[in-house]
Amino acid sequence: MKTLPLLVTAIVFGLMGCSEKVADQSASLSTASPRSALCTSSKSPAGSMAVDLGNAENLIEQGRAWIKHARLQSDPGFYLNAGACADLALALDPANAHALEVRGHVLMNLHDFAGAHALATTLVAREPTRASAHGLLADAELELGDYDRALATTQRQLSLHPDMGAHARASYLRWLAGDQAGARRLITAALVDRDPQDPEAAAWTVVEAGNLYWHAGDLVAADAIYQEALRWLPGYPSALFGRARVALAQGEPQRAIAALEKSLQQKPLVETAWLLGDAQAAAGDAESAAASYLSAEKIGRRGDRMMLASFLAAKDRNADEALRLADAESRTRSNVYLDDIRAWALYRLGRYREALDASERALRLGTPDARLLFHNGAIRLALDDTVAGTRKLEQALALNPHFDAAAAAQARAMLVQADKNSTEQSLSAGDVEIPDPAFPGAGS
């Protein structure tokens, strides 16, 4: 069996400690006002204790609980509940930094990145030593496409308070820039700084560590880390998705299907339904695959236009709509993945020169994601740039030969065809008339 890297061994054998579940929780209903009703809904996850509408700190804790609930359920509607709690707290104490941060996280998750950036900028200016405000600002800067500022802001956060969140944020930024070794060092530090009182956040961080190994094509290490996340938080949807991705890459679609069905039931995401369809197709169940792909579209239309655009472009289901969705999303954010989605939609539409411009922007940071490299290579081949296109496809497959079953197979087919075309062109270029030596002057 392959020896696990040091980081993986540390995670699996004791770094994360014991696991614990998030308990089901509820609170009493108040109907004093629309906002209070939202904040103290009977579906509240914040515990059985009634929320004191006259206590700002109590409202803030309720708002944080709603944010966690929204994240776990993948339901943006719950962010409205969190926002209501923040508004009530701010009505009591307009300068309360904790309430402002709750409001900022709500804005981020509702994709009002400019609003979140303005709020975080104000908060950082008012409280320059508040590490969590720098974290909020860095997230907004990254979503708005200002990578350099996000990196600098995260560095300030680390200097102020190097906790799990700061290290995890820094790890992702370093990975985006192609520094895989630095990303692994930082995610290890994040795991050391875990909060035992927040198993969901710790499990999320473990999955992020697993993703680093997935993108590097190390299936054994990635799977071991995803399993550790499940020990920390049993049934965690993101860890189930990670394990399913590994299982499908290892040629075990049924195992992938079982994990994805559990993940999708808890957290309905476009990418989960998408991968479930791929696994069902690999298992020979075309009917179920078609149903899962339709489910992916429905989920995307309920509130995730970026991933819906990615799915539509990847499956070549509706490239025009994919481009419209990506363009609409680009009015609120800018990042390498959105650039890549636009590139692939443009490729599907045969607009290869525009596609290459978008793909080059997607690769501007050197992000080690095989999908980005594959798209760039395919676009270059379509533009008859065989040398550069072949090189990008080879880089994609060398980085992670399992990055996507269908796309990886397509990349290999493209390489074969490119080699065949190159051979034929070489033969054609060398096909000149040779004089017959029996007839001097022939061919002259």
Side-chain angles (χ1 to χ4, degrees), residues 223-353:
D223 197 44
I225 298 176
Y226 294 140
Q227 288 184 68
E228 178 58 31
L230 289 168
R231 281 190 286 272
W232 182 252
L233 191 61
Y236 187 51
S238 298
L240 289 170
F241 177 87
R243 293 213 70 202
R245 192 160 55 172
V246 170
L248 188 57
Q250 293 174 331
E252 299 181 43
Q254 292 298 342
R255 184 160 66 88
I257 290 169
L260 289 164
E261 287 177 340
K262 291 179 183 178
S263 179
L264 191 63
Q265 185 176 17
Q266 296 180 68
K267 192 171 184 178
L269 296 176
V270 175
E271 53 266 42
T272 307
W274 173 357
L275 191 64
L276 176 58
D278 288 350
Q280 289 163 334
D285 188 350
E287 184 177 351
S288 294
S292 293
Y293 293 147
L294 183 60
S295 177
E297 286 196 43
K298 290 179 178 178
I299 294 168
R301 296 189 196 287
R302 288 201 295 265
D304 192 348
R305 62 189 178 192
M306 182 170 160
M307 282 308 302
L308 175 59
S310 180
F311 170 74
L312 293 174
K315 294 300 182 184
D316 201 12
R317 291 170 77 92
N318 190 331
D320 283 309
E321 184 181 6
L323 184 58
R324 286 196 301 272
L325 290 166
D327 285 341
E329 192 71 9
S330 68
R331 290 193 282 273
T332 63
R333 65 162 74 171
S334 174
N335 59 54
V336 297
Y337 284 101
L338 185 55
D339 288 331
D340 178 67
I341 293 166
R342 290 193 72 257
W344 203 234
L346 288 163
Y347 169 84
R348 294 298 196 189
L349 293 169
R351 294 160 60 177
Y352 301 133
R353 180 54 59 184

Side-chain angles (χ1 to χ4, degrees), residues 130-401:
R130 189 177 184 83
S132 54
H134 284 84
L136 177 62
L137 179 58
D139 288 343
E141 289 167 338
L142 180 60
E143 290 295 347
L144 292 171
D146 196 342
Y147 172 82
D148 290 337
R149 286 186 183 276
L151 191 61
T153 302
T154 300
Q155 184 58 59
R156 288 195 293 274
Q157 182 190 17
L158 281 169
S159 299
L160 291 166
H161 187 56
D163 62 0
M164 183 176 70
H167 278 116
R169 182 174 290 107
S171 172
Y172 181 65
L173 288 168
R174 293 315 306 156
W175 179 80
L176 280 176
D179 181 6
Q180 297 183 74
R184 290 179 184 182
R185 286 194 299 271
L186 285 161
I187 204 68
T188 302
L191 294 170
V192 170
D193 293 329
R194 71 199 183 280
D195 180 359
Q197 302 304 313
D198 194 350
E200 189 274 336
W204 179 89
T205 306
V206 177
V207 169
E208 287 297 292
N211 291 342
L212 293 179
Y213 284 90
W214 161 261
H215 283 295
D218 192 338
L219 302 182
V220 174
D223 197 44
I225 298 176
Y226 294 140
Q227 288 184 68
E228 178 58 31
L230 289 168
R231 281 190 286 272
W232 182 252
L233 191 61
Y236 187 51
S238 298
L240 289 170
F241 177 87
R243 293 213 70 202
R245 192 160 55 172
V246 170
L248 188 57
Q250 293 174 331
E252 299 181 43
Q254 292 298 342
R255 184 160 66 88
I257 290 169
L260 289 164
E261 287 177 340
K262 291 179 183 178
S263 179
L264 191 63
Q265 185 176 17
Q266 296 180 68
K267 192 171 184 178
L269 296 176
V270 175
E271 53 266 42
T272 307
W274 173 357
L275 191 64
L276 176 58
D278 288 350
Q280 289 163 334
D285 188 350
E287 184 177 351
S288 294
S292 293
Y293 293 147
L294 183 60
S295 177
E297 286 196 43
K298 290 179 178 178
I299 294 168
R301 296 189 196 287
R302 288 201 295 265
D304 192 348
R305 62 189 178 192
M306 182 170 160
M307 282 308 302
L308 175 59
S310 180
F311 170 74
L312 293 174
K315 294 300 182 184
D316 201 12
R317 291 170 77 92
N318 190 331
D320 283 309
E321 184 181 6
L323 184 58
R324 286 196 301 272
L325 290 166
D327 285 341
E329 192 71 9
S330 68
R331 290 193 282 273
T332 63
R333 65 162 74 171
S334 174
N335 59 54
V336 297
Y337 284 101
L338 185 55
D339 288 331
D340 178 67
I341 293 166
R342 290 193 72 257
W344 203 234
L346 288 163
Y347 169 84
R348 294 298 196 189
L349 293 169
R351 294 160 60 177
Y352 301 133
R353 180 54 59 184
E354 294 172 81
L356 182 61
D357 291 341
S359 181
E360 288 295 289
R361 288 195 299 275
L363 289 173
R364 67 186 181 275
L365 300 178
T367 305
D369 188 324
R371 192 185 298 269
L372 307 187
L373 294 166
F374 161 63
H375 289 165
N376 189 271
I379 293 166
R380 287 184 175 279
L381 288 181
L383 288 167
D384 294 325
D385 186 356
T386 304
V387 174
T390 297
R391 184 168 60 248
K392 291 296 184 183
L393 294 180
E394 290 173 343
Q395 288 174 355
L397 293 171
L399 178 62
N400 183 2

Side-chain angles (χ1 to χ4, degrees), residues 399-422:
L399 178 62
N400 183 2
H402 314 287
F403 69 94
D404 178 285
Q410 189 178 0
R412 294 185 184 94
M414 286 178 173
L415 285 172
V416 171
Q417 186 61 48
D419 183 63
K420 180 181 178 181
N421 292 344
S422 178

